[in-house]
Amino acid sequence: MNNPTLSPPSALFHIWLLARFELTKRFSSRSGIIALIAFIMVWSIILIYPVKEAATIIMQPSFKEFMAAVFGPTTLDQLFNWKVAEFAVFWVAALYLFPLFSIFISADQFSSDKQRGTLRFISLRVSRNSLFLGRFIGQVLIQSLLILLTLIVAIALIMSRDSSLLFPAINTAMIIFASVLIVVLPYIAMMALLSIIANSARQASIFAVILWIIVSLVITLVNVQLPGFDVVSYLLPGSQLSDMVNTQGLAAFTYTPIPLLQTVAILIIGRIVMQRSAL
């Protein structure tokens, strides 16, 4: 009797295994727990005071006058039109804090494994493409859980103020979840690329800062010398954030092509670097 031939696991299966491992590692390793504690501390402060008190703060005429005086009369006018005031503050904080957290949390996708030699061991069993995409998707899952966690807490705070806002809060939370997750994608991809080159998570973070400064200077010089080429501003992850702040609801999705295209471009570069790197 002939034994049936077992087919090798597919690349998708490898990617899923690696993503799942990355997810569990983040919430079980010492560095991952420290990062999680820092995340919880920062967001606890934000949720307990500015988000919880948003309904009171935003509705004050003096606050509206202050925002109009600082940012201009229409620069942040959408901030006062949110059905659920708590999410107006949450939206502004999330747009700028989650990219920072994603840089901090996803800085060690490959560097420490490369130093220990385990990356070479893993690459003998799965393709480098699967390894690269698996780690990237794992980090996306981590960020998804963190965004979802903060949104659930925000909804609980909203319910403590007005239970009739349950359904508007859930609808708004779903839009914010998708929008913020798309915003952080290029940052996660960038850290995947830099952690291949770097020898540690700290070095990868330093590389990210240096790269951000260099690209910003280049974009500024191009805009000064060639005013018609302001489209180069979109090369920098997060270039659309200042415009997204003054949006709400589905209008935020008009900016999604920018981070999505940035993510694809960075992943292509990262894949090339991964294939050519000595692990």
Side-chain angles (χ1 to χ4, degrees):
M1 181 176 178
N2 296 327
N3 292 325
T5 303
L6 296 176
S7 58
S10 65
L12 288 176
F13 182 72
H14 283 153
I15 291 173
W16 166 242
L17 284 181
L18 290 162
R20 194 174 62 180
F21 175 75
E22 189 74 6
L23 181 64
T24 55
K25 186 182 73 173
R26 175 53 59 191
F27 293 108
S28 59
S29 65
R30 181 173 176 270
S31 61
I33 292 174
I34 292 174
L36 186 61
I37 291 173
F39 175 87
I40 292 173
M41 291 176 66
V42 171
W43 269 101
S44 295
I45 295 172
I46 294 171
L47 288 168
I48 289 173
Y49 180 65
V51 171
K52 186 179 179 182
E53 303 297 330
T56 304
I57 296 173
I58 289 180
M59 291 302 118
Q60 291 180 356
S62 59
F63 181 75
K64 293 183 179 179
E65 293 171 0
F66 171 76
M67 296 299 285
V70 173
F71 298 101
T74 60
T75 305
L76 294 178
D77 55 340
Q78 291 296 320
L79 190 67
F80 305 103
N81 295 329
W82 286 70
K83 290 182 180 178
V84 184
E86 286 84 351
F87 276 136
V89 177
F90 183 96
W91 173 244
V92 177
L95 281 181
Y96 289 101
L97 286 181
F98 274 108
L100 290 177
F101 277 118
S102 66
I103 291 174
F104 178 57
I105 292 175
S106 62
D108 190 21
Q109 296 183 50
F110 300 104
S111 54
S112 62
D113 279 340
K114 189 172 68 175
Q115 288 301 304
R116 289 193 296 265
T118 52
L119 202 59
R120 179 189 296 273
F121 175 78
I122 298 172
S123 66
L124 295 175
R125 286 154 178 79
V126 299
S127 69
R128 295 193 178 197
N129 287 337
S130 298
L131 182 55
F132 184 71
L133 287 176
R135 290 287 174 88
F136 169 76
I137 293 173
Q139 292 295 329
V140 173
L141 292 176
I142 292 168
Q143 294 297 324
S144 302
L145 287 176
L146 295 178
I147 297 170
L148 185 62
L149 176 65
T150 54
L151 284 170
I152 290 173
V153 177
I155 291 175
L157 293 175
I158 293 165
M159 291 299 95
S160 67
R161 178 176 68 88
D162 187 351
S163 59
S164 66
L165 293 174
L166 175 61
F167 291 110
I170 292 175
N171 290 334
T172 305
M174 292 170 64
I175 295 172
I176 291 177
F177 173 80
S179 300
V180 175
L181 183 59
I182 292 172
V183 164
V184 301
L185 289 179
Y187 293 92
I188 300 172
M190 179 180 68
M191 296 315 295
L193 167 61
L194 294 177
S195 65
I196 299 172
I197 303 168
N199 294 321
S200 65
R202 179 179 298 179
Q203 194 176 66
S205 300
I206 294 172
F207 285 171
V209 173
I210 294 173
L211 182 64
W212 187 86
I213 293 173
I214 292 174
V215 175
S216 297
L217 288 174
V218 171
I219 289 173
T220 302
L221 288 174
V222 171
N223 286 332
V224 170
Q225 298 297 326
L226 303 167
F229 285 84
D230 54 350
V231 69
V232 296
S233 301
Y234 295 122
L235 293 175
L236 190 68
S239 57
Q240 82 285 3
L241 292 183
S242 58
D243 296 324
M244 288 185 71
V245 168
N246 198 35
T247 61
Q248 63 164 304
L250 297 176
F253 289 116
T254 57
Y255 295 95
T256 55
I258 299 170
L260 289 178
L261 290 174
Q262 291 171 341
T263 303
V264 171
I266 297 171
L267 287 178
I268 291 173
I269 297 172
R271 177 186 175 277
I272 294 172
V273 173
M274 186 75 172
Q275 293 291 340
R276 297 182 177 180
S277 296
L279 303 181

